[in-house]
Amino acid sequence: MVCMTEADAIVVGAGPVGLWLAAELRIGGADVIVLEKRDRRSEHSRAFTLHARTLEVFAARGLAGRWLAEGQRIPSTHYAMLSSRLDLSVLDSDFPCVLFMPQVRTEELLEEHAAAVGVRILRGHEVTSVAADDDGVRVAADGPDGPREFRAGYLAGCDGRRSIVRDAAGIGYEGRSEEHTSELQS
């Protein structure tokens, strides 16, 4: 027998966007479940900076201090890996900088925030199918204890380039599959 779990909204993907969206939906009153196929957060960061606008959004929720306490403020940044730098000190912002902080730590802080506001985060749950009907969506996932089904009025795909949610909605991927790796120099 497959367990059916209901929620107002399901977010697929526990990266920064999925965790923030889930927390915002919960703050707005929705019962939210995040389904993440990885059983734990990645140990590797894909990004290392937060921009002024992100910090402004965090500040609007009273959260920026958590990032500012740990990150390193950098008053300039590059564009597209060019050698010339952009001076951010001229920005009309409380945060005229980029904040250097590995994405791994940003995800930890976002997950703590989402859990604190009541989001249910289920790791180790890989979505295997999505079906929509007049009442919402039904999502099947393979979890640590076997197959599970979820039902919600809304579904958000924050599951990256190989999104099962995007595929189920018939939305193609227009990006390229090239990879670019950068190394930090000390």
Side-chain angles (χ1 to χ4, degrees), residues 30-165:
D31 178 27
V32 184
I33 296 173
V34 174
L35 301 176
E36 170 56 54
K37 70 179 176 180
R38 297 174 296 170
D39 60 355
R40 58 186 168 82
R41 281 186 300 277
S42 175
E43 297 174 7
H44 306 285
S45 291
R46 292 182 176 184
F48 291 92
T49 56
L50 296 172
H51 294 272
R53 184 63 187 134
T54 301
L55 294 169
E56 290 167 354
V57 170
F58 288 174
R61 286 286 181 220
L63 300 171
R66 298 186 72 190
W67 278 265
L68 294 170
E70 294 185 36
Q72 178 183 354
R73 294 177 196 216
I74 302 172
S76 67
T77 189
H78 65 82
Y79 174 75
M81 303 296 269
L82 297 174
S83 60
S84 58
R85 307 282 299 172
L86 299 173
D87 178 10
L88 302 176
S89 67
V90 299
L91 290 178
D92 183 18
S93 171
D94 290 337
F95 311 102
C97 62
V98 291
L99 189 70
F100 181 83
M101 176 179 263
Q103 181 177 333
V104 168
R105 183 61 180 141
T106 292
E107 285 186 18
E108 289 172 351
L109 292 172
L110 286 171
E111 187 166 340
E112 288 170 13
H113 169 61
V117 298
V119 173
R120 293 181 279 169
I121 301 166
L122 303 179
R123 290 193 167 276
H125 286 76
E126 183 172 3
V127 173
T128 56
S129 68
V130 173
D133 58 33
D134 291 340
D135 296 321
V137 294
R138 174 175 254 136
V139 176
D142 286 334
D145 298 322
R148 287 185 67 178
E149 288 192 5
F150 300 85
R151 182 142 189 84
Y154 300 93
L155 175 67
C158 301
D159 50 337
R161 183 169 61 92
R162 295 177 188 91
S163 173
I164 190 168
V165 176

